[in-house]
Structures are given as C-alpha cells and as structure tokens.
Coordinates of all heavy atoms in Angstrom, one line a residue:
M289 N -2.8 79.7 21.0 CA -2.6 80.1 22.4 C -1.4 81.1 22.5 O -1.6 82.1 23.1 CB -2.2 78.9 23.2 CG -3.4 78.0 23.5 SD -2.9 76.5 24.5 CE -3.2 75.3 23.2
A290 N -0.3 80.8 21.9 CA 0.8 81.8 21.9 C 0.8 82.7 20.7 O 1.8 83.4 20.5 CB 2.1 81.0 22.0
G291 N -0.2 82.5 19.9 CA -0.2 83.4 18.7 C 0.4 82.8 17.4 O 0.3 83.4 16.4
H292 N 1.1 81.7 17.6 CA 1.7 81.0 16.4 C 1.8 79.5 16.8 O 1.9 79.2 17.9 CB 3.0 81.6 16.1 CG 4.0 81.7 17.2 ND1 4.8 80.6 17.6 CD2 4.3 82.7 18.0 CE1 5.5 81.0 18.6 NE2 5.2 82.2 18.9
P293 N 1.9 78.7 15.7 CA 2.0 77.3 16.0 C 3.4 76.9 16.6 O 4.4 77.6 16.3 CB 1.8 76.6 14.7 CG 2.0 77.7 13.7 CD 1.7 79.0 14.3
V294 N 3.4 75.9 17.5 CA 4.6 75.4 18.0 C 4.7 74.0 17.6 O 3.8 73.2 17.9 CB 4.7 75.6 19.6 CG1 5.9 74.9 20.1 CG2 4.5 77.0 20.0
A295 N 5.8 73.6 17.0 CA 5.9 72.2 16.5 C 7.0 71.5 17.2 O 8.0 72.1 17.6 CB 6.2 72.2 15.0
Y296 N 6.8 70.2 17.4 CA 7.9 69.3 17.9 C 8.3 68.4 16.8 O 7.5 67.8 16.1 CB 7.3 68.5 19.1 CG 8.3 67.4 19.5 CD1 9.4 67.7 20.3 CD2 8.0 66.1 19.1 CE1 10.2 66.6 20.6 CE2 8.9 65.1 19.5 CZ 10.0 65.4 20.2 OH 10.9 64.4 20.6
T297 N 9.6 68.3 16.6 CA 10.1 67.4 15.6 C 11.1 66.4 16.3 O 12.1 66.9 16.8 CB 10.9 68.2 14.5 OG1 10.0 69.1 13.9 CG2 11.4 67.2 13.4
A298 N 10.7 65.2 16.3 CA 11.6 64.2 16.9 C 12.8 63.9 16.0 O 12.7 63.9 14.7 CB 10.8 62.9 17.1
V299 N 14.0 63.8 16.6 CA 15.2 63.5 15.8 C 15.7 62.1 16.3 O 15.5 61.8 17.5 CB 16.2 64.6 15.9 CG1 15.7 65.9 15.3 CG2 16.7 64.8 17.3
A300 N 16.4 61.5 15.5 CA 17.0 60.2 15.8 C 18.1 60.5 17.0 O 18.7 61.5 17.0 CB 17.7 59.6 14.6
P301 N 18.2 59.5 17.9 CA 19.2 59.7 19.0 C 20.6 60.0 18.5 O 21.3 60.9 19.1 CB 19.1 58.4 19.7 CG 17.8 57.8 19.4 CD 17.5 58.3 18.0
E302 N 21.0 59.4 17.4 CA 22.3 59.7 16.8 C 22.4 61.1 16.4 O 23.5 61.8 16.5 CB 22.6 58.8 15.7 CG 22.5 57.3 15.9 CD 21.0 56.8 15.9 OE1 20.2 57.3 15.0 OE2 20.7 55.9 16.7
T303 N 21.4 61.6 15.8 CA 21.4 63.0 15.3 C 21.4 64.0 16.5 O 22.1 65.0 16.5 CB 20.1 63.3 14.5 OG1 20.1 62.4 13.4 CG2 20.1 64.7 13.9
A304 N 20.6 63.7 17.5 CA 20.6 64.5 18.7 C 22.0 64.5 19.4 O 22.5 65.6 19.7 CB 19.6 64.0 19.7
L305 N 22.6 63.4 19.5 CA 24.0 63.2 20.1 C 25.0 64.1 19.3 O 25.7 64.8 19.8 CB 24.4 61.8 20.2 CG 25.8 61.5 20.8 CD1 25.9 62.0 22.2 CD2 26.1 60.0 20.7
A306 N 24.9 63.9 18.0 CA 25.9 64.6 17.1 C 25.7 66.1 17.3 O 26.7 66.9 17.3 CB 25.7 64.2 15.7
G307 N 24.4 66.6 17.4 CA 24.2 68.0 17.5 C 24.7 68.6 18.8 O 25.2 69.7 18.9
M308 N 24.5 67.8 19.9 CA 24.9 68.3 21.2 C 26.5 68.3 21.2 O 27.0 69.3 21.8 CB 24.4 67.4 22.3 CG 22.9 67.6 22.6 SD 22.3 66.6 23.9 CE 21.4 65.3 23.0
L309 N 27.1 67.3 20.7 CA 28.6 67.3 20.7 C 29.1 68.4 19.8 O 30.1 69.1 20.2 CB 29.1 65.9 20.1 CG 28.8 64.7 21.1 CD1 29.2 63.4 20.3 CD2 29.5 64.9 22.4
A310 N 28.4 68.7 18.7 CA 28.9 69.8 17.8 C 28.7 71.2 18.5 O 29.4 72.1 18.2 CB 28.1 69.8 16.5
A311 N 27.7 71.2 19.4 CA 27.5 72.5 20.2 C 28.4 72.6 21.4 O 28.4 73.6 22.1 CB 26.0 72.5 20.7
G312 N 29.3 71.6 21.6 CA 30.3 71.8 22.6 C 30.0 71.1 23.9 O 30.7 71.3 24.9
W313 N 28.9 70.3 23.9 CA 28.6 69.6 25.1 C 29.7 68.5 25.4 O 30.2 67.9 24.5 CB 27.3 68.9 25.0 CG 26.1 69.7 25.0 CD1 25.9 71.0 24.5 CD2 24.8 69.4 25.6 NE1 24.6 71.4 24.7 CE2 23.9 70.5 25.4 CE3 24.3 68.3 26.3 CZ2 22.6 70.5 25.9 CZ3 23.0 68.3 26.8 CH2 22.2 69.4 26.6
D314 N 29.9 68.3 26.7 CA 30.8 67.2 27.1 C 30.1 65.9 26.7 O 28.9 65.7 26.8 CB 31.0 67.2 28.6 CG 31.8 68.4 29.1 OD1 32.8 68.8 28.4 OD2 31.6 68.9 30.2
P315 N 30.9 64.9 26.2 CA 30.3 63.6 25.8 C 29.4 63.0 26.9 O 28.3 62.5 26.6 CB 31.5 62.8 25.5 CG 32.5 63.7 25.0 CD 32.3 65.0 25.9
W316 N 29.9 63.0 28.1 CA 29.1 62.3 29.2 C 27.7 63.0 29.4 O 26.7 62.3 29.6 CB 29.8 62.3 30.5 CG 30.0 63.7 31.2 CD1 31.1 64.6 31.0 CD2 29.1 64.4 32.0 NE1 30.9 65.7 31.7 CE2 29.6 65.7 32.3 CE3 27.8 64.1 32.5 CZ2 29.0 66.6 33.1 CZ3 27.2 65.0 33.3 CH2 27.8 66.3 33.6
R317 N 27.7 64.3 29.2 CA 26.4 65.0 29.4 C 25.5 64.7 28.2 O 24.3 64.4 28.3 CB 26.6 66.5 29.5 CG 25.3 67.3 29.7 CD 25.6 68.8 29.8 NE 26.7 69.0 30.8 CZ 26.5 69.6 32.0 NH1 25.3 69.9 32.4 NH2 27.4 69.8 32.8
A318 N 26.0 64.8 26.9 CA 25.2 64.5 25.7 C 24.7 63.1 25.7 O 23.5 62.9 25.4 CB 26.1 64.8 24.5
E319 N 25.5 62.1 26.1 CA 25.1 60.8 26.1 C 24.0 60.5 27.1 O 23.1 59.8 27.0 CB 26.3 59.8 26.3 CG 27.3 59.8 25.2 CD 28.7 59.3 25.5 OE1 28.9 58.9 26.6 OE2 29.5 59.2 24.6
G320 N 24.2 61.2 28.3 CA 23.2 61.1 29.3 C 21.8 61.7 28.9 O 20.8 61.1 29.2
M321 N 21.9 62.8 28.2 CA 20.6 63.4 27.7 C 19.9 62.4 26.7 O 18.7 62.3 26.7 CB 20.8 64.7 27.1 CG 21.2 65.8 28.2 SD 19.9 66.1 29.4 CE 18.6 66.9 28.4
V322 N 20.7 61.9 25.8 CA 20.1 60.9 24.8 C 19.5 59.7 25.6 O 18.4 59.3 25.2 CB 21.2 60.5 23.8 CG1 20.7 59.4 22.9 CG2 21.6 61.7 22.9
E323 N 20.2 59.2 26.6 CA 19.7 58.1 27.3 C 18.4 58.5 28.0 O 17.4 57.8 28.0 CB 20.7 57.6 28.3 CG 20.2 56.4 29.1 CD 21.3 55.9 30.1 OE1 22.4 56.5 30.2 OE2 20.9 55.0 30.9
L324 N 18.4 59.7 28.7 CA 17.2 60.1 29.4 C 16.0 60.3 28.5 O 14.9 59.8 28.8 CB 17.5 61.5 30.1 CG 16.4 62.1 30.9 CD1 15.9 61.2 32.0 CD2 16.9 63.5 31.4
Y325 N 16.2 60.9 27.4 CA 15.1 61.1 26.4 C 14.6 59.8 25.8 O 13.5 59.7 25.5 CB 15.4 62.2 25.4 CG 15.2 63.6 26.1 CD1 16.2 64.3 26.7 CD2 13.9 64.1 26.1 CE1 16.0 65.5 27.3 CE2 13.7 65.3 26.7 CZ 14.7 66.0 27.3 OH 14.5 67.2 27.9
G326 N 15.5 58.9 25.7 CA 15.1 57.5 25.3 C 14.2 56.9 26.3 O 13.2 56.2 25.9
L327 N 14.4 57.1 27.6 CA 13.6 56.6 28.6 C 12.2 57.3 28.5 O 11.2 56.6 28.6 CB 14.2 56.7 30.0 CG 15.5 55.9 30.2 CD1 16.1 56.3 31.5 CD2 15.1 54.4 30.2
Y328 N 12.2 58.6 28.3 CA 10.9 59.3 28.2 C 10.1 58.7 27.0 O 8.9 58.5 27.1 CB 11.2 60.8 28.0 CG 11.7 61.5 29.2 CD1 12.4 62.7 29.0 CD2 11.4 61.1 30.5 CE1 12.8 63.4 30.1 CE2 11.9 61.8 31.6 CZ 12.6 63.0 31.4 OH 13.0 63.7 32.5
A329 N 10.8 58.6 25.9 CA 10.2 58.1 24.7 C 9.6 56.7 24.8 O 8.6 56.3 24.2 CB 11.1 58.1 23.5
A330 N 10.2 55.9 25.7 CA 9.7 54.5 26.0 C 8.6 54.5 27.0 O 8.1 53.5 27.3 CB 10.9 53.7 26.5
G331 N 8.2 55.7 27.5 CA 7.1 55.8 28.4 C 7.4 55.7 29.9 O 6.5 55.6 30.7
Y332 N 8.7 55.8 30.3 CA 9.0 55.6 31.7 C 8.6 56.8 32.5 O 8.7 56.6 33.8 CB 10.5 55.3 31.8 CG 10.9 53.9 31.4 CD1 11.3 53.6 30.2 CD2 10.8 52.9 32.4 CE1 11.7 52.3 29.8 CE2 11.1 51.6 32.1 CZ 11.6 51.3 30.8 OH 11.9 50.0 30.4
A333 N 8.2 57.9 32.0 CA 7.8 59.0 32.8 C 6.3 59.3 32.5 O 5.9 60.5 32.7 CB 8.7 60.2 32.5
S334 N 5.5 58.3 32.1 CA 4.2 58.6 31.7 C 3.1 58.4 32.8 O 1.9 58.6 32.6 CB 3.8 57.7 30.5 OG 3.9 56.3 30.9
A335 N 3.5 58.0 34.0 CA 2.6 57.8 35.1 C 1.9 59.2 35.5 O 2.5 60.2 35.5 CB 3.3 57.2 36.3
V336 N 0.6 59.1 35.8 CA -0.1 60.3 36.2 C -0.5 60.0 37.7 O -0.9 58.9 38.0 CB -1.4 60.4 35.4 CG1 -2.2 61.6 35.9 CG2 -1.0 60.6 33.9
S337 N -0.3 61.0 38.5 CA -0.6 60.9 39.9 C -1.6 62.0 40.3 O -1.8 62.9 39.6 CB 0.7 60.9 40.8 OG 1.1 62.2 40.9
S338 N -2.1 61.9 41.5 CA -3.0 62.9 42.1 C -2.2 63.8 43.0 O -2.8 64.5 43.8 CB -4.1 62.2 42.8 OG -3.6 61.4 43.9
D339 N -0.9 63.8 42.9 CA 0.0 64.6 43.9 C -0.3 66.1 43.8 O -0.3 66.7 44.9 CB 1.5 64.3 43.6 CG 1.8 62.9 44.0 OD1 1.1 62.2 44.7 OD2 2.9 62.5 43.6
V340 N -0.6 66.7 42.7 CA -0.8 68.1 42.6 C -2.1 68.4 43.4 O -2.0 69.4 44.2 CB -1.0 68.6 41.1 CG1 -1.6 70.0 41.1 CG2 0.3 68.5 40.4
E341 N -3.1 67.7 43.3 CA -4.3 67.9 44.0 C -4.1 67.7 45.5 O -4.6 68.5 46.4 CB -5.5 67.1 43.5 CG -6.8 67.4 44.2 CD -8.0 66.8 43.5 OE1 -7.8 66.0 42.5 OE2 -9.1 67.1 43.9
K342 N -3.3 66.7 45.9 CA -3.0 66.4 47.3 C -2.3 67.6 47.9 O -2.5 68.0 49.0 CB -2.2 65.2 47.4 CG -3.0 63.9 47.2 CD -2.1 62.7 47.3 CE -2.7 61.4 46.9 NZ -1.8 60.3 46.9
L343 N -1.4 68.2 47.2 CA -0.5 69.3 47.7 C -1.2 70.6 47.7 O -1.0 71.4 48.6 CB 0.8 69.4 46.9 CG 1.7 68.2 47.1 CD1 2.9 68.3 46.1 CD2 2.3 68.2 48.5
T344 N -2.0 70.9 46.6 CA -2.6 72.2 46.5 C -4.1 72.3 46.8 O -4.6 73.4 47.0 CB -2.5 72.7 45.0 OG1 -3.3 71.9 44.2 CG2 -1.1 72.7 44.5
G345 N -4.7 71.1 46.9 CA -6.2 71.1 47.2 C -7.0 71.4 46.0 O -8.2 71.5 46.1
R346 N -6.4 71.6 44.8 CA -7.1 71.8 43.6 C -6.6 70.8 42.6 O -5.5 70.4 42.6 CB -6.8 73.2 43.0 CG -7.2 74.3 43.9 CD -6.9 75.7 43.3 NE -5.5 75.7 42.8 CZ -4.5 76.4 43.2 NH1 -4.8 77.3 44.2 NH2 -3.3 76.4 42.8
P347 N -7.5 70.4 41.6 CA -7.1 69.4 40.6 C -6.1 70.0 39.7 O -6.0 71.3 39.5 CB -8.4 69.1 39.9 CG -9.3 70.2 40.2 CD -8.9 70.8 41.5
A348 N -5.2 69.2 39.2 CA -4.2 69.7 38.2 C -4.9 70.1 36.9 O -6.1 69.7 36.6 CB -3.3 68.5 37.8
R349 N -4.3 71.0 36.2 CA -4.9 71.4 34.9 C -3.9 71.1 33.8 O -2.8 70.8 34.0 CB -5.1 72.9 34.9 CG -3.9 73.7 35.2 CD -4.3 75.2 35.5 NE -3.1 75.8 36.1 CZ -3.0 77.1 36.2 NH1 -3.9 77.9 35.7 NH2 -1.9 77.6 36.7
S350 N -4.5 71.0 32.6 CA -3.7 70.6 31.4 C -2.8 71.8 31.0 O -3.0 73.0 31.4 CB -4.6 70.3 30.2 OG -5.3 71.5 29.7
F351 N -1.8 71.5 30.2 CA -1.0 72.5 29.6 C -1.8 73.5 28.8 O -1.5 74.7 28.9 CB 0.2 71.9 28.8 CG 1.0 73.0 28.2 CD1 2.0 73.7 29.0 CD2 0.9 73.4 26.9 CE1 2.7 74.7 28.4 CE2 1.6 74.4 26.3 CZ 2.5 75.1 27.1
A352 N -2.7 73.0 28.1 CA -3.6 73.9 27.3 C -4.3 74.9 28.1 O -4.4 76.1 27.8 CB -4.6 73.1 26.4
E353 N -4.8 74.4 29.3 CA -5.5 75.4 30.2 C -4.5 76.4 30.7 O -4.9 77.6 30.8 CB -6.1 74.6 31.4 CG -7.3 73.7 30.9 CD -7.7 72.7 32.0 OE1 -6.9 72.2 32.7 OE2 -8.9 72.5 32.1
F354 N -3.4 76.0 31.1 CA -2.3 76.9 31.6 C -2.0 77.9 30.6 O -1.9 79.1 30.9 CB -1.1 76.1 32.1 CG 0.1 77.0 32.4 CD1 0.2 77.6 33.6 CD2 1.1 77.2 31.4 CE1 1.3 78.4 33.8 CE2 2.1 78.0 31.7 CZ 2.3 78.6 32.9
A355 N -1.7 77.4 29.4 CA -1.3 78.4 28.3 C -2.4 79.4 28.0 O -2.1 80.5 27.7 CB -0.9 77.5 27.1
T356 N -3.6 78.9 28.0 CA -4.7 79.8 27.6 C -4.8 80.9 28.8 O -5.0 82.1 28.5 CB -6.1 79.0 27.5 OG1 -5.9 78.1 26.5 CG2 -7.2 80.0 27.3
E357 N -4.7 80.5 30.0 CA -4.8 81.4 31.1 C -3.7 82.5 31.1 O -3.9 83.6 31.5 CB -4.8 80.6 32.4 CG -5.0 81.5 33.6 CD -5.0 80.7 34.9 OE1 -5.5 79.6 34.9 OE2 -4.6 81.2 36.0
H358 N -2.5 82.1 30.6 CA -1.3 82.9 30.6 C -0.9 83.4 29.2 O 0.2 83.8 29.0 CB -0.2 82.2 31.3 CG -0.5 82.0 32.8 ND1 -1.1 80.8 33.2 CD2 -0.3 82.7 33.9 CE1 -1.2 80.9 34.5 NE2 -0.7 82.0 35.0
A359 N -1.8 83.4 28.3 CA -1.5 83.7 26.9 C -0.9 85.1 26.7 O 0.0 85.3 25.9 CB -2.7 83.6 26.0
A360 N -1.3 86.0 27.5 CA -0.7 87.4 27.4 C 0.8 87.4 27.7 O 1.5 88.2 27.1 CB -1.5 88.3 28.4
V361 N 1.2 86.6 28.7 CA 2.6 86.5 29.0 C 3.4 85.9 27.9 O 4.5 86.3 27.6 CB 2.8 85.6 30.3 CG1 4.3 85.4 30.6 CG2 2.1 86.2 31.5
F362 N 2.8 85.0 27.0 CA 3.5 84.4 25.9 C 3.3 85.2 24.6 O 3.7 84.8 23.6 CB 2.9 83.0 25.7 CG 3.2 82.1 26.9 CD1 2.2 81.6 27.6 CD2 4.5 81.7 27.2 CE1 2.4 80.8 28.7 CE2 4.8 80.9 28.3 CZ 3.7 80.4 29.1
G363 N 2.7 86.4 24.7 CA 2.5 87.2 23.6 C 1.3 86.9 22.7 O 1.2 87.3 21.6
G364 N 0.3 86.1 23.3 CA -0.9 85.7 22.5 C -2.1 86.6 22.9 O -2.2 87.4 23.6

C-alpha cells in the first residue's frame, strides 16, 4: 500500500517506560502512556460501533481501504 512493509513491534511496558524517560518525557506523562496502552492491549478500546455510518450516512471503511485509496499521498 505505501510501497514498503510497515511492522509493529510490541515492547514490554518497562522498556517503553524506560525509552520515554530516556527521551526526556516527564514521568507522569510516560507512566500515563504506559497505563493507557496497557488498557488498549487488554481490549478496553476494542468495541465497534455504527457511529461513523450514523454521522456520515456511509458505512465505515477499513484502514486497508483508506490506505489503498490514498496510496499516492503515502508515496505508493
């Protein structure tokens, strides 16, 4: 889609925290991000709703559909 593979590599929360602190993040912000992503990993943001269709009148599309449609913008 974008012309090259994009990979996601999960890191341990402790590693993420150490990296953010090493990058100069305030501890409260780094700890909050680790907590937030822990909630995401646990599935707390996995609900799917019909809100996009209710608001736009069109069904939602997948990220793959969006990326294919806009590949030229991403250099693909």
Side-chain angles (χ1 to χ4, degrees):
M289 283 177 251
H292 54 82
V294 176
Y296 168 78
T297 303
V299 297
E302 306 80 36
T303 303
L305 179 61
M308 287 182 256
L309 293 173
W313 285 39
D314 291 324
W316 68 267
R317 183 180 308 253
E319 291 164 1
M321 288 299 290
V322 169
E323 180 180 0
L324 178 62
Y325 279 92
L327 293 172
Y328 290 155
Y332 283 94
S334 63
V336 177
S337 76
S338 59
D339 290 346
V340 169
E341 188 168 3
K342 287 177 187 174
L343 291 169
T344 66
R346 296 182 312 246
R349 56 190 165 163
S350 70
F351 177 77
E353 291 167 326
F354 169 83
T356 298
E357 185 178 327
H358 295 88
V361 176
F362 298 113

